Amino acid sequence: MITLPDICLKEFNLDNLPLVKKLRSLHFKTQTEVCIERAELITEFLKNNKNSNDDSQVTRAKAVNHYLSNRKIFFHDDNLIGGATTSKAIGAPLYPEFMGLSIWAELDTISSRATNPQKLTEEAAEKCNFDIFPYWMDNTVLEKTRKKFNSPLSLQLLEKIVYYISGKAGCISHCVPDYSRALNEGLEIIINEAKAKENTNDFYKAVQVSLQGIINYAKNISETAKELSLKEKDELKRKNLEQIAEICSHVPAKPARNFREAMNSLWLCQVGIHAENINMAMSPGRIDKVLYPFFKKDFEAKKITIEEAVALGCCLWLKIADNTNLVPEAAEKLWGGAGATPAVTLGGIDENGNDSVNDLTYIFLKVTELMCLRDPSVNARYNYEKNDKKYRQRVSEVIFNTKAIPAFHNDIADIETLTNQGEKTEDARDFAIVGCVELASTGKDYVASSSIMFNLASVMELTLFDGRKYTMGNEQVGPKTGNPATFSSFQQFYDAFRKQLEWMLKNAIDINEKMGSIHQEMLPTPLLSSFFKGPMETGKDLIFGGAIYNSSGASFLAFPDICDSLNAIEQAVFIEKKCTMQEIIDAIKNNFSDPASASLQAYLKNKIPRFGNENPVSLKNSKQLVKDIYQILQSHTNYRGGKYRPAFWTMTTHAGQGKLSGALPSGRKAKEVFSSGITPASQAAKSLTEAFNSVASLDSKNIPGGWALNIKYTPLLLNENKEEYLNKFGDLVEGFFRNGGMQVQFNIQDYETLIDAKKNPVKYPEMIVRVSGYSAYFKDLNDAMKDELITRTQYNLFSGKAVPFNENNS
Amino acid sequence: MKWLKHPFKSFSMWLATRKFVKILEEGTMDIFLETLLNLMDLYFALNKKFRRNIENFNATYVFKSRDGVIAASIIFADSKMKVSCNAIENASVTVVFKDGKALKDFLFSESPDIIGAILDNEIQYTGNLNYLSKFAYMSKRLKFELTGK
């Protein structure tokens, strides 16, 4: 129910919220620092305190408890919420069990590297080199997998990078825990429940130990805040420290008594989860729904004002943004700019199918608008049957004002997609977004949504060269599927492509399964499991399939480019007979560099049907490819008993992998970036209608992992009316959703501004953009990614036409 | 005064450093690996702090050029480094590099482009990449301590 007199909360801005303004400014001035505190304490525990009689679940829980209980407590600023994910103001935590050791060669240079430097003290570098890294050299997930399975082919392919990336070497995380029980009942109740069952299973012992770690951490915050408050001379700061001391002495151990305690409790649980699981898309979920009862009670009792709620929301946003990923420079160059992508989801409907939009939804939308941060990744669910049009318009306005966030998600298509995966309707209705765009039922669905990043362009290359990887020494990699120059029909080519696809997916799945088994051996997740339905009832950790629903996500790169390539082969070789297959192969070999190939490239780029222009050939091929990927993936069951779910979001990997990939039959040259997510290639769709219809025509039931559609709009022009602009904006989103579209995200930028931002980054220090599923600061992206954002088709909202891009300007 | 304690090693170190700097400046890469390993060996012997890198470190490395002209094995054991000219079996990590320049670029580039080097077929490795990262760290550290760059 909406009680706010103004859902836009126009009266609030950064100038009349001085604390928020100060905190935000400090956030943008703070350089990221590498935090080794967790790595140091966990390693210390495993070296010196490990009990050989404990099973892996209890060992893990004790290590996490050791870290949480012994963390140093810092108050870097006057944030109203206590607790932090790292010891730094903005920290890049080192997780040595995953890929943390990849910065070894850079220990002396990471602080000063050209791209997104992350400060590391000399003392910390020494500790890494002499104490932490040597312990983990043979004990990372990747190395344990190599040793146990004797460097299988699937691992060798993974290490070539261009075929697929297996997320499990770096994380599982990627899920939406349910914090409602912790907020309403407190962690002590969960610990007591586990204690009552501890004789049945070590899992329950592990739950108690790990949750106690969060409580110990909260108590340490409380004590430190109390000590500091006694010395603090500034009255406001002293009062804040006293309040934090009181709050953290109570939550998350006990039920939250008010809105601020609930917020702090949620945050401390999130911090606890980061102690056990790497900070990759660990998503707080539907916080407007979970926190609303606390807000409502306080607001009705006049214990909190809207202004205070907005300020607290802003503080939570800054807390969620207090960490980022630790990335070696090579990866930063290829895939950089991403944050930790914890996703927050607003709006939609509840488990019973009722409108879930409430006052807090609008408060968090205001927070999003004011803060304009990369993290959290904010997502708005929109149910055109149940949500008010005013909500749709308010979300549109926030996107307009921030020029990028939040992303819009179609409740109806997403719920249908999840029920089609066997989820109960009430569970599917309670979905939230994980990381970029992935769907997960809150606290029930362990989706591991970033298990595989799969490069479709490599499948195309293997098909064109009879299973050989032409761009990497012409080695025979895939099965021999024949020389395409001898094929007599497009179907014959497509069959070969499908065989290569099936073979490569089998390998990608194989290494995911093998690494999954290593995770089961060394990285159980009792703490995270206690925030899920299933594990507490059955005594089975999430990693062993304890969740109600289990799946593994595989996201596909270069989908639009591969659709265009299939279209090119079908149209140019077999329908129009404009060229032979051999001519296309030769042109690809020489990267369209000789005159004949250059002329062929011009034809392929400009005359063939493209994904996004509603041509029957392109519609047929895109639908077929989505269907085949879905069928192949769903025929595999993962190590937790769930299905593999395809997705089409690419983060920044479409730029990175594009730089590593050869030319394609679509006319794309080697090393050029791929199109993002499920977005038609630049200038492929000449109108919004064609772009939206082509994407909406893909059956979302075949894409249960979610998709990222990026649309760029010309900003409001001087002669245009803002209200009409926003109405058109909202109508187009709704039209797309009514046609079956799952998700869409926007950048309200024109070519010229983005070009200027690339040339003069200091002029745009806070420019935020949607990449392919998440948000990033434009200045942090690599040049290839910046170019991809610049050249993405810009549409005029009123005419619906693509604005031509003049390449000479870039 | 280390040179008084180990006059021969100190002199050898001085010579090797001079040779190493010359190689880096002039790009005579066919003897890059040999010089680097020789220098590293001497520096471990002379510098206690640097030697800490190989305390309790047991590992074997094989470096070889694709044409087979350059090959070296390194064995770290008992806080010592032993170098031989033959490739040994079952090393912790085996690195096959296109030529001396590729190896130098891989180890000393200000921004180590491991991915680029792998994709361009300049470097191939089998085994544990963490060992290679450690070796790259030690090499860069050595270069920094001896040349200030």
Side-chain angles (χ1 to χ4, degrees):
Chain A
M1 175 149 149
I2 308 302
T3 63
L4 298 173
D6 167 27
I7 58 168
C8 301
L9 302 170
K10 284 195 196 76
E11 65 180 292
F12 301 108
N13 56 55
L14 287 176
D15 288 328
N16 58 27
L17 294 165
L19 173 68
V20 171
K21 187 177 181 179
K22 191 175 85 179
L23 293 172
R24 185 179 181 278
S25 166
L26 192 61
H27 175 85
F28 278 101
K29 281 183 198 152
T30 305
Q31 194 196 336
T32 304
E33 292 182 72
V34 178
C35 174
I36 66 159
E37 188 181 35
R38 179 189 175 278
E40 200 180 355
L41 286 165
I42 296 265
T43 308
E44 176 191 278
F45 176 85
L46 294 173
K47 273 183 181 174
N48 307 323
N49 305 91
K50 192 174 161 185
N51 181 339
S52 55
N53 293 326
D54 288 337
D55 86 340
S56 63
Q57 300 177 92
V58 176
T59 300
R60 181 94 169 138
K62 284 185 176 174
V64 167
N65 180 303
H66 179 75
Y67 162 57
L68 285 168
S69 304
N70 291 288
R71 290 185 63 185
K72 283 187 188 148
I73 307 299
F74 295 95
F75 290 88
H76 293 289
D77 56 31
D78 300 326
N79 195 301
L80 302 172
I81 294 172
T85 52
T86 73
S87 63
K88 310 295 181 188
I90 300 179
L94 177 85
Y95 288 84
E97 60 270 51
F98 295 112
M99 300 301 287
L101 273 63
S102 59
I103 63 157
W104 204 335
E106 288 180 52
L107 285 175
D108 292 334
T109 52
I110 192 168
S111 301
S112 56
R113 70 183 181 195
T115 322
N116 297 333
Q118 297 180 318
K119 250 163 71 180
L120 178 71
T121 63
E122 248 181 66
E123 190 195 351
E126 292 255 309
K127 279 183 182 162
C128 287
N129 183 44
F130 292 120
D131 302 327
I132 300 170
F133 290 176
Y135 176 82
W136 292 99
M137 277 185 100
D138 296 310
N139 293 312
T140 60
V141 171
L142 185 67
E143 294 313 324
K144 289 234 177 199
T145 309
R146 190 194 313 280
K147 196 170 178 190
K148 183 175 176 184
F149 298 101
N150 196 21
S151 214
L153 173 66
S154 55
L155 177 59
Q156 292 170 39
L157 290 171
L158 165 68
E159 289 187 313
K160 299 282 185 192
I161 304 154
V162 291
Y163 301 106
Y164 47 78
I165 300 165
S166 179
K168 284 203 172 45
C171 66
I172 292 185
S173 294
H174 290 83
C175 61
V176 185
D178 183 1
Y179 291 121
S180 55
R181 197 169 173 210
L183 305 193
N184 292 305
E185 298 175 40
L187 295 184
E188 282 177 353
I189 291 283
I190 306 175
I191 290 174
N192 289 339
E193 184 192 327
K195 192 168 179 53
K197 295 177 179 174
E198 75 179 358
N199 291 333
T200 61
N201 191 328
D202 273 349
F203 166 76
Y204 292 113
K205 195 174 170 194
V207 166
Q208 293 171 64
V209 173
S210 56
L211 289 184
Q212 189 57 48
I214 306 182
I215 295 173
N216 295 348
Y217 174 58
K219 282 191 176 148
N220 291 341
I221 294 172
S222 172
E223 281 164 20
T224 310
K226 200 171 178 184
E227 279 168 28
L228 290 172
S229 73
L230 297 174
K231 296 178 210 156
E232 182 58 61
K233 294 204 169 66
D234 182 287
E235 199 187 325
L236 275 177
K237 288 182 181 195
R238 188 177 65 244
K239 199 177 155 200
N240 186 35
L241 286 165
E242 285 168 355
Q243 284 170 335
I244 289 177
E246 166 59 20
I247 290 165
C248 294
S249 72
H250 189 81
V251 295
K254 301 190 187 312
R257 294 167 296 192
N258 54 49
F259 181 59
R260 183 168 172 184
E261 281 192 355
M263 274 209 162
N264 212 137
S265 183
L266 183 147
W267 174 241
L268 289 168
C269 292
Q270 177 87 359
V271 170
I273 287 175
H274 279 231
E276 184 188 70
N277 305 272
I278 194 167
N279 60 335
M280 296 284 264
M282 196 49 85
S283 302
R286 308 185 71 184
I287 58 170
D288 58 341
K289 181 168 168 274
V290 175
L291 291 165
Y292 179 63
F294 297 94
F295 168 76
K296 186 171 180 270
K297 196 176 122 201
D298 281 9
F299 192 59
E300 284 173 356
K302 300 198 186 315
K303 287 183 179 167
I304 193 169
T305 64
I306 301 294
E307 183 182 333
E308 286 165 342
V310 170
L312 273 170
C314 292
C315 284
L316 181 63
W317 253 231
L318 287 162
K319 282 288 172 188
I320 293 173
D322 81 350
N323 64 96
T324 187
N325 302 132
L326 175 69
V327 198
E329 180 151 21
E332 186 68 59
K333 276 184 173 173
L334 287 169
W335 301 294
T341 57
V344 157
T345 305
L346 306 175
I349 58 171
D350 64 17
E351 292 90 332
N352 301 316
N354 299 319
D355 184 2
S356 187
V357 174
N358 58 47
D359 286 346
L360 209 44
T361 312
Y362 289 111
I363 287 172
F364 285 136
L365 281 172
K366 184 72 198 180
V367 167
T368 304
E369 191 173 60
L370 287 172
M371 302 310 285
C372 211
L373 297 175
R374 173 176 70 181
D375 287 332
S377 169
V378 184
N379 299 274
R381 286 175 50 174
Y382 175 55
N383 190 306
Y384 52 80
E385 287 176 355
K386 295 289 172 70
N387 294 146
D388 198 301
K389 196 175 162 187
K390 283 181 192 157
Y391 165 69
R392 183 195 87 178
Q393 286 310 106
R394 176 60 185 145
V395 174
S396 303
E397 187 181 40
V398 176
I399 297 169
F400 176 86
N401 288 335
T402 61
K403 297 185 178 297
I405 42 180
F408 253 121
H409 292 263
N410 180 0
D411 242 30
I412 291 170
D414 289 354
I415 291 167
E416 274 176 16
T417 298
L418 287 175
T419 52
N420 189 53
Q421 287 295 302
E423 301 203 1
K424 287 182 187 166
T425 305
E426 59 269 31
D427 295 341
R429 282 174 179 154
D430 195 27
F431 83 88
I433 302 304
V434 178
C436 293
V437 300
E438 308 95 286
L439 313 174
S441 170
T442 306
K444 298 186 185 75
D445 211 346
Y446 195 42
V447 287
S449 58
S450 190
S451 294
I452 298 167
M453 294 289 278
F454 190 89
N455 185 0
L456 284 166
S458 279
V459 177
M460 177 57 73
E461 192 176 331
L462 294 181
T463 314
L464 288 167
F465 296 97
D466 194 15
R468 284 173 290 119
K469 186 80 176 128
Y470 177 75
T471 49
M472 288 179 76
N474 214 20
E475 185 189 356
Q476 185 75 41
V477 179
K480 282 182 169 285
T481 45
N483 176 2
T486 65
F487 294 168
S488 56
S489 69
F490 174 71
Q491 190 56 48
Q492 211 179 342
F493 181 86
Y494 189 81
D495 290 344
F497 176 85
R498 200 184 187 283
K499 265 186 203 159
Q500 298 288 356
L501 174 68
E502 205 161 353
W503 174 83
M504 221 166 96
L505 270 174
K506 203 175 98 189
N507 278 291
I509 288 168
D510 180 66
I511 194 62
N512 185 59
E513 293 295 308
K514 288 184 163 68
M515 286 194 183
S517 77
I518 296 296
H519 274 263
Q520 288 177 328
E521 284 173 18
M522 67 180 275
L523 299 170
T525 59
L527 191 150
L528 180 62
S529 297
S530 68
F531 293 97
F532 273 72
K533 271 257 181 320
M536 286 301 288
E537 289 77 9
T538 59
K540 206 187 212 185
D541 190 292
L542 287 174
I543 199 72
F544 293 106
I548 305 282
Y549 307 112
N550 286 284
S551 58
S552 294
S555 189
F556 289 80
L557 308 174
F559 173 78
D561 304 84
I562 295 311
C563 288
D564 290 351
S565 296
L566 292 169
N567 300 342
I569 290 166
E570 181 166 14
Q571 187 79 17
V573 178
F574 295 104
I575 296 175
E576 288 184 9
K577 300 192 192 312
K578 179 83 183 171
C579 60
T580 64
M581 195 69 227
Q582 190 59 53
E583 283 168 335
I584 288 191
I585 291 171
D586 291 342
I588 283 169
K589 275 184 179 173
N590 70 39
N591 196 23
F592 299 106
S593 58
D594 67 23
S597 301
S599 142
L600 178 60
Q601 185 200 21
Y603 165 77
L604 294 169
K605 282 190 100 163
N606 299 309
K607 302 289 182 193
I608 58 149
R610 310 290 295 273
F611 172 64
N613 65 12
E614 290 194 277
N615 179 291
V617 169
S618 71
L619 286 173
K620 178 200 70 152
N621 285 331
S622 56
K623 285 181 190 177
Q624 186 65 47
L625 184 53
V626 165
K627 195 174 151 195
D628 284 341
I629 288 171
Y630 177 76
Q631 282 176 350
I632 295 169
L633 278 185
Q634 292 264 301
S635 69
H636 292 266
T637 301
N638 72 12
Y639 60 98
R640 289 177 280 111
K643 296 288 179 200
Y644 280 81
R645 292 180 180 176
F648 295 90
W649 48 269
T650 53
M651 299 181 67
T652 50
T653 50
H654 57 283
Q657 290 285 353
K659 277 163 80 178
L660 308 177
S661 298
L664 288 173
S666 61
R668 173 197 159 278
K669 282 188 155 186
K671 300 190 179 186
E672 286 180 2
V673 297
F674 295 132
S675 300
S676 65
I678 204 149
T679 312
S682 178
Q683 304 297 321
K686 299 296 176 200
S687 74
L688 272 172
T689 312
E690 287 176 271
F692 278 141
N693 286 350
S694 297
V695 178
S697 74
L698 303 171
D699 187 351
S700 66
K701 289 197 193 70
N702 288 340
I703 310 177
W707 77 42
L709 172 63
N710 293 295
I711 294 290
K712 184 159 83 187
Y713 283 148
T714 306
L716 185 73
L717 301 173
L718 284 174
N719 60 346
E720 291 171 347
N721 176 289
K722 184 182 168 187
E723 202 182 326
E724 284 173 21
Y725 187 100
L726 290 177
N727 283 335
K728 183 86 179 162
F729 190 110
D731 286 347
L732 280 165
V733 170
E734 184 155 339
F736 174 55
F737 284 1
R738 283 182 184 275
N739 277 342
M742 293 178 89
Q743 180 271 8
V744 58
Q745 56 185 22
F746 299 94
N747 286 302
I748 318 283
Q749 300 284 1
D750 55 31
Y751 300 127
E752 293 76 17
T753 308
L754 290 171
I755 290 166
D756 193 43
K758 185 184 171 194
K759 282 181 188 159
N760 306 294
V762 285
K763 274 170 71 182
Y764 305 87
E766 296 174 14
M767 180 193 268
I768 198 154
V769 287
R770 292 297 293 192
V771 181
S772 180
Y774 66 94
S775 308
Y777 300 117
F778 188 77
K779 66 178 171 52
D780 291 345
L781 297 168
N782 60 53
D783 280 354
M785 196 52 239
K786 283 178 183 164
D787 289 341
E788 192 273 309
L789 274 152
I790 289 168
T791 55
R792 267 183 202 174
T793 314
Q794 173 191 329
Y795 293 97
N796 180 296
L797 188 65
F798 287 105
S799 71
K801 297 260 168 62
V803 179
F805 177 69
N806 183 351
E807 289 195 21
N808 298 328
N809 293 340
S810 59
Chain B
M1 290 288 188
K2 273 179 203 157
W3 66 272
L4 279 176
K5 212 169 163 187
H6 305 286
F8 178 71
K9 280 186 176 167
S10 296
F11 182 66
S12 304
M13 182 80 208
W14 179 78
L15 280 178
T17 306
R18 218 171 65 146
K19 192 173 169 187
F20 185 62
V21 171
K22 206 173 164 194
I23 287 168
L24 292 177
E25 282 170 357
E26 293 177 1
T28 41
M29 289 301 152
D30 49 334
I31 49 167
F32 167 74
L33 180 65
E34 182 194 331
T35 313
L36 170 68
L37 297 181
N38 185 19
L39 195 56
M40 193 180 265
D41 191 12
L42 282 166
Y43 204 55
F44 278 130
L46 285 170
N47 189 308
K48 197 179 166 191
K49 197 180 168 200
F50 192 64
R51 194 159 60 239
R52 204 180 149 203
N53 279 296
I54 54 169
E55 276 171 18
N56 303 316
F57 180 52
N58 298 309
T60 47
Y61 290 77
V62 171
F63 288 94
K64 52 186 178 187
S65 60
R66 200 175 296 151
D67 58 10
V69 172
I70 311 169
S73 299
I74 314 164
I75 301 167
F76 291 106
D78 304 324
S79 303
K80 283 181 185 148
M81 173 184 181
K82 278 186 198 163
V83 182
S84 83
C85 297
N86 304 315
I88 52 170
E89 296 285 312
N90 300 320
S92 310
V93 66
T94 299
V95 182
V96 181
F97 51 92
K98 193 172 131 197
D99 49 32
K101 185 181 176 305
L103 184 63
K104 187 214 90 176
D105 289 349
F106 180 69
L107 292 175
F108 292 148
S109 162
E110 274 184 30
S111 49
D113 190 359
I114 296 174
I115 296 171
I118 292 168
L119 291 167
D120 292 341
N121 271 326
E122 298 215 327
I123 293 281
Q124 289 167 310
Y125 76 92
T126 47
N128 188 330
L129 191 58
N130 296 328
Y131 284 75
L132 193 51
S133 297
K134 180 180 168 77
F135 188 83
Y137 171 78
M138 292 193 299
S139 304
K140 282 173 83 173
R141 188 85 204 171
L142 175 73
K143 178 175 167 260
F144 179 77
E145 290 193 12
L146 297 178
T147 67
K149 288 186 270 189

